[in-house]
């Protein structure tokens, strides 16, 4: 089962939740879904647009928006390693330069943003408080 289907099921539970009647005693009154994935996807798309990528106008409330017209996310830094990060996720602007590697070759660099500096970890100091507010 794909992750988006599981997330859809969780959203359905929250959307369709009916709290117990007062005559039925105690129970769960409210179900909230913490949409961190949706939030961070919107942040990355907004950053991509801000730094000059051709990002289509997007209705973030439409199911499946994350995968529609998202080819710009595959513009990755030319670095050594198994998983080079997406430039829209880690770069603060379109400035790029190359540094020499110790073993030869070059590594592409950019001015890093405060979303994610490596493409794997979120900057807790900048994203965490905004999501938890």
């Amino acid at each position: 089962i794909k992750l988006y289907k599981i997330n859809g099921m969780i959203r359905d539970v929250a959307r369709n939740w009916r709290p117990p009647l007062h005559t039925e005693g105690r129970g769960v009154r409210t179900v909230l879904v913490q949409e961190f994935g949706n939030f961070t996807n919107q942040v990355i798309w907004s950053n991509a647009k801000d730094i000059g990528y051709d990002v289509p106008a997007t209705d973030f409330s439409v199911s499946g928006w994350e995968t529609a017209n998202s080819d710009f996310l595959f513009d990755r830094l030319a670095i050594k390693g198994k998983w080079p990060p997406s430039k829209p996720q880690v770069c603060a602007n379109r400035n790029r330069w190359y540094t020499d590697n110790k073993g030869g070759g070059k590594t592409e660099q950019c001015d890093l943003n405060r979303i994610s500096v490596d493409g794997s970890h979120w900057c807790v100091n900048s994203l965490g408080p905004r999501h938890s507010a």
Side-chain angles (χ1 to χ4, degrees), residues 76-85 101 106-107:
R76 299 188 176 275
L77 286 174
I79 63 169
K80 278 189 166 183
K82 195 172 183 178
W83 301 104
N101 293 328
K106 296 192 177 287
T107 296

Side-chain angles (χ1 to χ4, degrees), residues 25-52:
R26 298 172 150 218
V28 176
R29 313 277 332 137
T30 305
V31 175
L32 299 175
V33 178
Q34 189 175 20
E35 293 281 0
F36 190 72
N38 188 299
F39 169 70
T40 53
N41 284 340
Q42 289 183 42
V43 169
I44 293 168
W45 278 58
S46 297
N47 186 62
K49 185 175 182 176
D50 288 345
I51 65 175

Side-chain angles (χ1 to χ4, degrees), residues 34 36 39 124 126-133:
Q34 189 175 20
F36 190 72
F39 169 70
V124 177
S126 57
L127 286 182
R130 285 162 179 76
H131 189 261
S132 301

